[in-house]
Amino acid sequence: MIRKFAIALLGCLALSLFAPAFAQEAPDVLVHRVTEEVLEIVRKDKEIQNGNTQKAIDLVEVRVLPHFNFARMTALAVGKDWRKASPQQQQQLTQEFKTLLVRTYSNALTGYRNQKMVYKPLKMNPGDGDALVRTEVVQPGNKPVQIDYSLEKVEAVWKVYDVVVAGISLVTNYRDQFGQEVRNGGIDGLIAAIAGKNKSLSTPPGK
């Protein structure tokens, strides 16, 4: 699972640097252009490659977070139980889920080892507000891994709301687990469970 998240992160970082000036740029062009810029930064950052998780977290928070629709991602991950949550609980869930993804991605980012990204042609009609960008990660000695990005246009800006790695959706991958937590302890129980997971991910090994 960590390997899959590591691969997914490489692609998620593709969206980390684009600015409003490029808001009308096609989604696949954005992914291709910015992925190469970001991966070049990571290739040169020996601290991240050597396990500096905090530096990886800082990178994700500054470069990646503004380009994800975490409210929609959280709603998709929670599924039908999302409607049971109050506005305050929805806000808490979104914050905790965002923290979970940041910590998971940041821990995985330290495992980057010069994988190569391959970009597939974009199938999209003019005026579409939703797009699927398909890529592959090529790793020496391993089969290529497919990564698909679901993006939506929000006020002329493209935002990611799901990442599918080797056929496994990031958001729906959590749905069964989250549903069980709600059945066991309600919405507050789910919030507490995600917060506990975040705490464990933030604890250095051996502590």
Side-chain angles (χ1 to χ4, degrees):
M1 183 61 68
I2 290 298
R3 183 184 68 85
K4 290 180 180 178
F5 276 119
I7 295 170
L9 178 59
L10 300 180
C12 289
L13 287 172
L15 305 165
S16 64
L17 293 177
F18 52 87
F22 296 98
Q24 298 301 320
E25 200 170 13
D28 60 330
V29 176
L30 286 173
V31 169
H32 181 261
R33 176 178 60 82
V34 184
T35 295
E36 298 308 317
E37 293 175 359
V38 174
L39 294 186
E40 183 63 23
I41 293 172
V42 176
R43 289 184 191 109
K44 295 178 180 179
D45 196 319
K46 298 302 181 183
E47 290 186 51
I48 291 178
Q49 294 182 30
N50 290 333
N52 189 328
T53 304
Q54 185 56 54
K55 192 168 184 179
I57 289 174
D58 293 341
L59 173 62
V60 172
E61 289 182 341
V62 173
R63 302 289 191 175
V64 178
L65 294 196
H67 310 292
F68 277 70
N69 186 344
F70 281 105
R72 183 172 181 188
M73 292 180 76
T74 308
L76 290 171
V78 176
K80 59 183 176 58
D81 293 318
W82 180 253
R83 295 189 297 272
K84 299 178 182 178
S86 67
Q88 181 180 3
Q89 288 174 320
Q90 289 179 351
Q91 184 177 8
Q92 289 178 289
L93 281 169
T94 300
Q95 181 58 50
E96 292 295 347
F97 190 52
K98 178 170 68 174
T99 300
L100 175 62
L101 295 183
V102 169
R103 294 201 179 281
T104 301
Y105 286 164
S106 299
N107 287 341
L109 180 58
T110 59
Y112 172 70
R113 293 297 181 269
N114 291 312
Q115 291 89 342
K116 179 182 177 182
M117 300 292 296
V118 177
Y119 307 91
K120 303 297 185 65
L122 176 67
K123 295 181 179 180
M124 179 180 170
N125 297 316
D128 284 353
D130 201 276
L132 181 67
V133 176
R134 300 181 303 124
T135 69
E136 275 187 349
V137 176
V138 179
Q139 307 170 95
N142 294 283
K143 293 182 179 179
V145 178
Q146 180 82 23
I147 303 179
D148 298 334
Y149 301 93
S150 295
L151 301 93
E152 63 180 348
K153 186 177 284 188
V154 181
E155 298 180 353
V157 177
W158 288 101
K159 295 206 179 249
V160 175
Y161 65 87
D162 195 12
V163 181
V164 179
V165 182
I168 301 175
S169 162
L170 175 66
V171 294
T172 59
N173 189 45
Y174 283 101
R175 192 170 292 162
D176 289 343
Q177 177 186 342
F178 286 0
Q180 186 63 50
E181 293 292 350
V182 173
R183 287 190 291 274
N184 291 339
I187 296 296
D188 286 334
L190 173 59
I191 294 171
I194 303 175
K197 180 64 174 176
N198 289 334
K199 184 176 180 180
S200 69
L201 288 173
S202 67
T203 303
K207 295 294 183 179

